[in-house]
Amino acid sequence: MSEDMVKDGYEDIMNVDISSVAIEMMQTKYASVPQLKYMQMDVRDMSYFEDDSFDTIIDKGTLDSLMCGSDALLSASRMLGEVSRLIKPGGTYFLITYGDPKVRMPHLTRSAYNWKISLYIIPRPGFKRPESCSSSAKSCMEAIPITSEGMLPHDYVLEDPDSHFIYICKKKDEDEEAQLPSYPLMEDVL
């Protein structure tokens, strides 16, 4: 993916992987592409980088991998905390995953991350909608409405169970935070 981003004009792309073997292979393969930088690093501790270092972070399978390992909940929390710390206000975390909202939104919606989340669902390549399907055709270019809890609406029909879920998590900047309504505590609530 990074190589294609360079072709599209991106100029400063940092790639991280926990595997030193993978990093060495990519450094060798793309040694002639100065826009690509590679570092061996554990995404649960990216203290090498300062806060607000990146405009965008793209995750294509890393969170999925952590969710399959031991201490999955702790690992996911540490990784997402680091992602949130590293993204500049107004920046974006793109999560491309097989994890549907039931299993991903509880991790993404923590208030500490300060993200506004949009969800897109992309059917697998070549997927044909069954003729017997009674739901209306959906465009994968439109965000899926999610409930206030971050879940799919109860009447939403997921036509392709092997879809990719793309969560676009935009870190709120100070202006957006200031626009949030405040709810003062009332005496009858205390």
Side-chain angles (χ1 to χ4, degrees):
M1 179 190 293
S2 298
E3 313 78 60
D4 291 330
M5 292 175 68
V6 170
K7 291 176 189 172
D8 288 339
Y10 292 90
E11 296 186 13
D12 190 13
I13 302 170
M14 175 59 68
N15 299 276
V16 300
D17 198 292
I18 198 165
S19 167
S20 60
V21 173
I23 292 299
E24 289 170 16
M25 285 176 41
M26 298 307 280
Q27 285 174 326
T28 301
K29 184 174 182 177
Y30 294 106
S32 64
V33 185
Q35 299 92 329
L36 298 177
K37 296 164 190 67
Y38 295 92
M39 290 189 72
Q40 187 273 327
M41 185 176 296
D42 185 334
V43 295
R44 296 168 292 187
D45 177 9
M46 295 187 278
S47 55
Y48 175 85
F49 299 113
E50 294 181 15
D51 294 0
D52 304 331
S53 291
F54 296 97
D55 295 311
T56 303
I57 294 178
I58 301 172
D59 171 0
K60 190 173 147 254
T62 304
L63 184 62
D64 288 352
S65 178
L66 289 176
M67 294 300 294
C68 295
S70 59
D71 295 324
L73 299 178
L74 180 59
S75 290
S77 177
R78 285 183 176 163
M79 178 197 151
L80 293 171
E82 283 290 88
V83 167
S84 177
R85 180 183 70 78
L86 293 174
I87 295 176
K88 295 175 183 176
T92 306
Y93 169 50
F94 290 90
L95 171 61
I96 304 164
T97 176
Y98 285 114
D100 70 38
K102 285 182 285 204
V103 295
R104 290 297 178 261
M105 288 302 261
H107 302 285
L108 297 173
T109 55
R110 293 183 57 190
S111 62
Y113 303 148
N114 203 25
W115 290 334
K116 179 178 186 260
I117 302 171
S118 300
L119 171 65
Y120 293 79
I121 300 177
I122 311 294
R124 68 181 180 264
F127 173 74
K128 300 281 188 240
R129 194 167 158 255
E131 289 183 28
S132 62
C133 186
S134 61
S135 67
S136 60
K138 300 173 183 73
S139 168
C140 61
M141 301 308 290
E142 295 176 22
I144 304 298
I146 50 179
T147 67
S148 59
E149 294 82 30
M151 299 295 146
L152 293 172
H154 73 285
D155 60 348
Y156 184 85
V157 177
L158 182 61
E159 296 170 351
D160 179 10
D162 295 323
S163 294
H164 282 94
F165 296 86
I166 301 175
Y167 300 86
I168 299 176
C169 307
K170 185 176 182 294
K171 189 172 185 179
K172 297 173 189 166
D173 58 28
E174 293 173 10
D175 292 337
E176 289 174 297
E177 289 181 50
Q179 294 173 5
L180 295 175
S182 62
Y183 300 99
L185 290 176
M186 302 296 195
E187 198 173 285
D188 59 336
V189 175
L190 302 173

